[in-house]
Amino acid sequence: MPADLNKTATPLAQEVGHYAEIPVPPPLRGIFACQWMHVLPTDANGTPLLVVPDGSIDLQWIDGVVRVAGPDRQPHAEALRPGAQVLGLRFHPGAAAAWLGIDMDALTDCRVALDDLWGSRAACLAADSSTEFVHRVAARPVADLTPDAAMAEAFCLLQSGMAPADSPLRWLCERLQQPERTLRRRFVQHFGYGPQTLARLLRYQRFLQLARAEPSTPFAQLAAEAGYADQPHLARESRRLAGRPPSTLPRD
């Protein structure tokens, strides 16, 4: 993200345009968790949008260009044209590295064109429309691709909010019966960062979901429900991950 970007003044992506999710076609369900579309208004002024890190990795189609977005550790500014349509296929946890053929730490905090990763092999997914793009992805053979089941389980365990904030790695090792060194290495390979970072991102996502579902609940209570030590802890994390205090976030 540019160092001079005023994150507080930059609108969140979720505040602009129309966003919707639908299930992926059956051939893609073993690799991708959902399909989503974000359409910007035609009268948008071209101001960058701020994307909050959420622990996910997406394959995206934007105006005919296919790219990989994430994994992110920090908010990311997106400069898109007015009226742009972004079609995303969200990878299941533990599936992106196998499908893309690259460790995720090579893509952390990046947006990378698939051409740069695959070269001429990416031509098979080039498409003039988002619908055609999904069909081409669905036609790609995936029989020999196996998502990492242990990493998918680790993601779900951290998403539950049950892991202690100070030692999620040790907690996961006990439940998955894996050495710390092995688990840390596999996290970096499949998520781009370690368990502590993923736990932080998923905790903030829990807060955002609670804030939207309970718009009248005080922030101190939401902070406790999401797993923060107190409201100031939530405020610090909100500024790091969304560029603004919780009180300025949309709650509907």
Side-chain angles (χ1 to χ4, degrees):
M1 180 184 304
D4 59 350
L5 178 68
N6 185 345
K7 292 186 288 186
T8 303
T10 304
L12 297 180
Q14 67 198 65
E15 298 176 292
V16 179
H18 177 71
Y19 175 89
E21 295 182 5
I22 62 173
V24 294
L28 296 177
R29 290 176 186 169
I31 301 295
F32 297 99
C34 76
Q35 174 181 331
W36 56 266
M37 175 72 80
H38 191 177
V39 181
L40 299 186
T42 56
D43 59 353
N45 59 12
T47 300
L49 305 179
L50 202 66
V51 178
V52 177
D54 59 4
S56 65
I57 302 165
D58 296 289
L59 184 70
Q60 299 178 345
W61 178 94
I62 307 176
D63 293 337
V65 176
V66 181
R67 71 176 190 178
V68 181
D72 291 337
R73 294 170 298 184
Q74 57 187 357
H76 183 89
E78 292 280 8
L80 301 173
R81 67 169 180 83
Q85 294 186 6
V86 183
L87 185 284
L89 294 170
R90 181 159 301 144
F91 287 99
H92 280 300
W99 197 89
L100 292 168
I102 186 173
D103 290 354
M104 291 299 97
D105 60 326
L107 305 179
T108 305
D109 293 319
C110 295
R111 302 293 184 268
V112 181
L114 194 62
D115 286 348
D116 293 336
L117 296 179
W118 285 5
S120 60
R121 290 191 299 131
C124 67
L125 300 185
D128 294 329
S129 70
S130 58
T131 301
E132 182 186 1
F133 165 67
V134 173
H135 289 162
R136 293 195 173 194
V137 175
R140 183 173 181 266
V142 296
D144 58 339
L145 300 180
T146 304
D148 191 307
M151 291 299 94
E153 183 179 358
F155 186 96
C156 291
L157 286 169
L158 292 180
Q159 196 172 44
S160 72
M162 297 172 60
D166 59 341
S167 57
L169 176 59
R170 187 175 307 167
W171 183 82
L172 284 173
C173 288
E174 293 173 355
R175 277 147 185 81
L176 298 176
Q177 295 296 296
Q178 292 194 21
E180 287 191 15
R181 194 175 198 177
T182 299
L183 194 59
R184 189 188 302 275
R185 174 179 56 78
R186 293 176 72 181
F187 254 80
V188 171
Q189 176 186 2
H190 290 282
F191 299 118
Y193 37 63
Q196 191 89 30
T197 297
L198 181 58
R200 284 182 58 234
L201 302 183
L202 294 179
R203 179 175 56 198
Y204 190 65
Q205 290 299 313
R206 282 197 302 276
F207 159 71
L208 292 178
Q209 291 171 6
L210 289 167
R212 294 168 191 145
E214 307 171 22
S216 60
T217 301
F219 283 109
Q221 182 177 335
L222 292 176
E225 291 180 11
Y228 289 98
D230 49 32
Q231 188 171 343
H233 184 197
L234 165 63
R236 291 192 299 273
E237 285 291 88
S238 186
R239 285 187 168 87
R240 291 189 189 108
L241 298 177
R244 64 202 62 204
S247 58
T248 65
L249 295 169
R251 296 191 63 178
D252 55 12

